[in-house]
Amino acid sequence: MQLGFIGLGRMGGNMARRLTAAGHSVVAWDRNPDAVRSATDTKGIAGAASVDDLVKQLQKPRAIWIMVPAGAPTEEAITALASRLSAGDVVIDGGNTHFHDDVRRAKTLAAKGIEYVDVGTSGGVWGARRGYCLMIGGSPNVVERLTPLFKSLAPGRSRGAGDEDPNLPASASTAPDGYLHCGPPGAGHFVKMIHNGIEYGLMQSYAEGFDILRNADSPSLPADQRYTFDLADIAEVWRHGSVVSSWLLDLAALALREDPQLEGFEGTVGDSGEGRWTVAAAIAEDVPADVLTTALFTRFRSRRDHTFAEKLLSALRAQFGGHAEPR
């Protein structure tokens, strides 16, 4: 297939290259001309000088994948395309967009006969080699039309997650291949939003567990109950046969092997929005989400040396018990 591609950053550039490796042709544009020049070194990727040039190089019905930061950059790209595309063309948003925006954009584009597909994309910088997990929202006929693209980007069953269910017929679902049509516009990004909320919780669990292991030799413990652990080796042994094995654990093992004391990090943890949206969805649905909410708030905590709340806690302890702050 031929695909237009807007956004050649850490994920977008790799995705474009993975598509051309599978035999598709890509016409790519990015605000950064150097990114376009770098991408066109790959056979099968043609560069575009502007959005107008990108649209002109594509055959109708066109399909254009947007892989830029959520919010204003995505909104600007879709607005630019809306005035240049024709009925039957498709706009695909593969970034981390809030599903409310997907629903609104799909309605706006539908008035012009332009289709809208949202694709929650997971795989990070490793996706070029491992493939990308794709969670898709859109009308069934359009998703079907784009399936060759999704199939090429996804890992495929040969790189599935462990033992497949022997009772699942091979043709029952595309899920074991790593891509899934989840529902109408917005459904793909809704599933990706929850995926990222769960990711926060998993990451926090690993972080806390390894912190306990690291402090197992604390002088405050009895001498015969102190242990000095090789955290990289523990992460590695858990990767083999353990029920807590995962790709995140694989990455933890890699990070600890490269930098055992994690001296290259300060511990300030960012969030790109999906954790907040997940908590908001839980509130809207009256669903308790204790772990996911705590994991999100812990990231907020990491960005401060000490919070006012912690200062008040110390002040209260001093007031009622005369407790001095530890130094």
Side-chain angles (χ1 to χ4, degrees):
M1 293 183 66
Q2 184 191 46
L3 178 70
F5 212 98
I6 295 178
L8 298 169
R10 288 173 297 185
M11 286 185 67
N14 284 339
M15 293 172 70
R17 293 180 181 92
R18 185 174 174 89
L19 286 166
T20 57
H24 304 286
S25 62
V26 173
V27 180
W29 177 77
D30 190 282
R31 289 183 181 275
N32 182 358
D34 291 337
V36 177
R37 283 191 288 270
S38 176
T40 54
D41 289 340
T42 300
K43 182 180 179 181
I45 299 179
S50 64
V51 174
D52 284 318
D53 186 31
L54 174 76
V55 172
K56 289 177 182 178
Q57 292 190 53
L58 297 173
Q59 301 173 359
K60 295 182 179 181
R62 309 174 186 93
I64 300 179
W65 192 301
I66 300 171
M67 205 69 192
V68 300
T74 300
E75 195 73 33
E76 291 169 6
I78 292 175
T79 299
L81 290 174
S83 62
R84 292 167 170 83
L85 298 182
S86 307
D89 292 343
V90 184
V91 173
I92 308 161
D93 177 11
N96 285 322
T97 289
H98 195 293
F99 72 98
H100 287 174
D101 292 328
D102 292 317
V103 174
R104 171 179 55 80
R105 291 168 183 164
K107 291 178 180 177
T108 300
L109 293 175
K112 300 183 178 184
I114 302 170
E115 299 283 353
Y116 181 85
V117 173
D118 56 286
V119 182
T121 307
S122 180
V125 296
W126 295 76
R129 179 171 59 85
R130 291 169 53 96
Y132 301 89
C133 174
L134 305 175
M135 296 144 272
I136 307 160
S139 62
N141 59 322
V142 177
V143 172
E144 179 64 27
R145 167 182 152 193
L146 299 173
T147 291
L149 299 174
F150 303 141
K151 192 170 184 178
S152 296
L153 286 169
R157 300 193 182 212
S158 62
R159 295 187 63 85
D163 298 328
E164 302 294 351
D165 183 352
N167 298 316
L168 181 67
S171 61
S173 172
T174 62
D177 293 298
Y179 67 96
L180 181 68
H181 181 207
C182 301
H189 277 146
F190 188 97
V191 174
K192 177 58 162 50
M193 174 182 74
I194 304 305
H195 163 283
N196 283 30
I198 293 171
E199 177 185 304
Y200 281 36
L202 290 173
M203 291 173 68
Q204 186 64 30
S205 294
Y206 284 128
E208 292 177 8
F210 279 100
D211 201 7
I212 297 169
L213 288 168
R214 181 177 180 273
N215 287 283
D217 61 353
S218 171
S220 64
L221 296 171
D224 60 353
Q225 295 178 22
R226 298 177 196 168
Y227 304 99
T228 301
F229 294 115
D230 185 319
L231 301 187
D233 270 353
I234 291 174
E236 185 64 29
V237 75
W238 283 353
R239 292 181 60 229
H240 301 278
S242 166
V243 295
V244 299
S245 60
S246 72
W247 186 41
L248 286 173
L249 182 62
D250 296 345
L251 297 178
L254 180 62
L256 290 167
R257 188 64 65 193
E258 293 176 346
D259 184 357
Q261 301 302 319
L262 301 181
E263 294 175 347
F265 300 89
E266 293 183 359
T268 300
V269 186
D271 73 284
S272 53
E274 296 86 346
R276 303 177 188 225
W277 302 341
T278 299
V279 172
I283 293 171
E285 299 171 11
D286 295 333
V287 173
D290 306 54
V291 171
L292 308 190
T293 303
T294 301
L296 173 64
F297 287 172
T298 301
R299 295 195 177 197
F300 298 163
R301 170 66 188 87
S302 75
R303 299 165 202 171
R304 304 184 181 188
D305 290 333
H306 289 291
T307 66
F308 181 80
E310 289 166 337
K311 293 179 181 179
L312 182 58
L313 287 173
S314 286
L316 290 171
R317 294 183 77 245
Q319 289 292 331
F320 71 71
H323 302 291
E325 281 190 320
R327 300 293 182 183

